[in-house]
Amino acid sequence: MIEAKQLCKNFGDKEVLKDMNCTIKDGSIYGLIGANGAGKSTFLRLISGVYYPDSGFLNINGKEVYENNEIKKKIIFVADEFYIPQGITVRKQAAMYEALYGSFDHEYFEKNLEILSLKLDDKFANYSKGMKRQAIMLCALACKGDYYLFDETFDGLDPVVRNHMKKLLYAEIADRGATIVLTSHNLRELEDICDHLGVLYKGGIMFEGDINDIKSNVFKIQTGFSEDYDESKFKNFDVMSFKKAGSVATLIIKGDSVSTAAKMRELNPLFLDILPLTLEEVFIYEMEVLGYAFGELSDK
């Protein structure tokens, strides 16, 4: 388990992470959403032990990562911008990963290279940004680590390659119980792969939750009544948003949809429709409750 508590990191006068709290369970895919410069990359570098916290702590299974080589061997970090030496081939890059981590599944690596139409003796200098990311991600996954950290995971990948990479990530969870942390500035990019999502803003986690719970516990209701009414009619509900046009009200309600519908029918509405929300809509309303505009937090 990755646990951050009151985590702070500064660079000179710039405060990047401030009192950040986050728990990432083993065997999960955790997605971290935030605008460029929100601190996502810094957080991954703290998890991987590249940086040391200025205050607070970050532990993996109760142990600090910084200068802990035993834990670092289990963590594979793929940065958004990665350095590749001039003239290096895919084969040599794979050898570097093997030297660093001590284990490397060559059969797995070469099989997936072939699927993606990449070759061992290809030079990275001849690759597009997306092809470089494919090769580096395969190098990382072939190391068979316990913790994978991918920054701007699918940047530059076309839809077919993206789906293949997602399948490989699913397999790491299902077959080996690995833990994966993915960052992005685009919610839509991560919503169909992660089982837990958090929004990073101004150095802290502003909102997070299990995707299944997020989707099932917030919903839209459209209803109407013959008599005049206002928002006070729904004082016994957890109303996140209320709008009324004529006799028709549109509400965003948090809670159990079945029990909420039953309580709503007790008010004798003329009609009652319960509608699901997209994950992005849920995040928008959750952040509005906290006093933030989701558009400030995520580049859509």
Side-chain angles (χ1 to χ4, degrees), residues 212-258:
N212 290 330
D213 291 341
I214 293 171
K215 286 185 172 181
S216 62
N217 291 339
V218 181
F219 46 90
K220 180 187 294 185
I221 283 184
Q222 289 184 327
T223 189
F225 298 85
S226 57
E227 71 277 9
D228 191 28
Y229 64 97
D230 57 23
E231 188 174 357
S232 63
K233 189 175 186 69
F234 310 101
K235 62 183 179 181
N236 293 325
F237 299 87
D238 189 354
V239 178
M240 302 174 71
S241 173
F242 172 84
K243 294 178 181 178
K244 184 169 176 277
S247 62
V248 178
T250 300
L251 302 96
I252 305 301
I253 291 182
K254 193 170 187 177
D256 177 73
S257 61
V258 175

Side-chain angles (χ1 to χ4, degrees), residues 76-296:
I76 297 115
F77 171 42
V78 176
D80 179 23
E81 296 182 3
F82 34 81
Y83 170 72
I84 300 171
Q86 187 69 26
I88 198 168
T89 63
V90 173
R91 186 191 302 275
K92 288 183 179 179
Q93 186 70 20
M96 290 182 186
Y97 271 79
E98 184 172 20
L100 283 170
Y101 292 98
S103 62
F104 196 88
D105 190 334
H106 287 274
E107 182 180 353
Y108 172 95
F109 183 66
E110 293 177 22
K111 174 185 174 182
N112 283 287
L113 277 181
E114 184 177 354
I115 291 172
L116 297 175
S117 300
L118 306 178
K119 295 181 173 58
L120 283 169
D121 293 317
D122 287 348
K123 290 186 177 181
F124 273 89
N126 298 327
Y127 276 177
S128 66
K129 180 180 180 179
M131 294 169 74
K132 289 175 183 176
R133 183 164 291 278
Q134 293 171 46
I136 293 295
M137 287 185 72
L138 289 181
C139 284
L141 292 170
C143 292
K144 300 302 174 186
D146 292 339
Y147 298 90
Y148 294 100
L149 315 175
F150 293 109
D151 198 3
E152 298 297 341
T153 319
F154 305 112
D155 188 27
L157 303 185
D158 65 46
V160 174
V161 173
R162 186 174 301 183
N163 286 335
H164 181 70
M165 287 301 183
K166 286 179 179 179
K167 289 178 182 177
L168 296 183
L169 296 181
Y170 291 142
E172 290 299 303
I173 299 291
D175 299 341
R176 303 181 51 256
T179 303
I180 300 171
V181 184
L182 312 176
T183 74
S184 179
H185 58 277
N186 189 322
L187 177 61
R188 296 187 188 99
E189 187 175 70
L190 298 183
E191 65 177 301
D192 63 341
I193 185 173
C194 298
D195 46 39
H196 202 95
L197 282 170
V199 174
L200 182 61
Y201 180 61
K202 290 189 176 180
I205 299 291
M206 301 306 300
F207 170 75
E208 66 176 347
D210 179 277
I211 286 186
N212 290 330
D213 291 341
I214 293 171
K215 286 185 172 181
S216 62
N217 291 339
V218 181
F219 46 90
K220 180 187 294 185
I221 283 184
Q222 289 184 327
T223 189
F225 298 85
S226 57
E227 71 277 9
D228 191 28
Y229 64 97
D230 57 23
E231 188 174 357
S232 63
K233 189 175 186 69
F234 310 101
K235 62 183 179 181
N236 293 325
F237 299 87
D238 189 354
V239 178
M240 302 174 71
S241 173
F242 172 84
K243 294 178 181 178
K244 184 169 176 277
S247 62
V248 178
T250 300
L251 302 96
I252 305 301
I253 291 182
K254 193 170 187 177
D256 177 73
S257 61
V258 175
S259 59
T260 297
K263 285 174 60 179
M264 192 68 71
R265 291 189 184 97
E266 293 175 1
L267 300 178
N268 298 314
L270 295 172
F271 65 92
L272 178 65
D273 292 325
I274 299 179
L275 307 169
L277 296 174
T278 66
L279 188 61
E280 185 169 355
E281 287 175 322
V282 173
F283 267 66
I284 289 170
Y285 288 115
E286 290 280 8
M287 297 310 297
E288 284 179 352
V289 168
L290 294 173
Y292 299 93
F294 187 70
E296 299 175 7

